[in-house]
Amino acid sequence: MDVRRAQEIASSPVMANVTYNGQRIYIEHVDQQKGVATIHPLDNPNQKQSVPVASLQEHA
């Protein structure tokens, strides 16, 4: 995924189907300069982590 699309998803009120390492996640914040996103698994909002935006996958 590119940084621009990750930012669109993070800003959207509509939930997108995005995964990180096969697990469905929620994008909390995108740092466009660093190319990283703060995410958490849908089933565990307390498990926040920063990951490269390029490692995120969007599914239709």
Side-chain angles (χ1 to χ4, degrees), residues 15-30:
M15 187 69 181
N17 185 2
V18 179
T19 59
Y20 173 69
N21 288 343
Q23 185 174 31
R24 289 194 67 196
I25 57 94
Y26 177 81
I27 302 173
E28 293 187 19
H29 175 75
V30 178

Side-chain angles (χ1 to χ4, degrees), residues 7-58:
Q7 183 64 55
E8 288 175 3
I9 292 170
S11 300
S12 174
V14 178
M15 187 69 181
N17 185 2
V18 179
T19 59
Y20 173 69
N21 288 343
Q23 185 174 31
R24 289 194 67 196
I25 57 94
Y26 177 81
I27 302 173
E28 293 187 19
H29 175 75
V30 178
D31 184 326
Q32 293 183 335
Q33 307 231 327
K34 294 181 181 177
V36 298
T38 303
I39 64 167
H40 68 257
L42 291 182
D43 61 354
N44 190 353
N46 295 322
Q47 189 183 354
K48 296 179 185 179
Q49 57 184 317
S50 292
V51 299
V53 171
S55 65
L56 302 177
Q57 287 191 307
E58 181 177 13

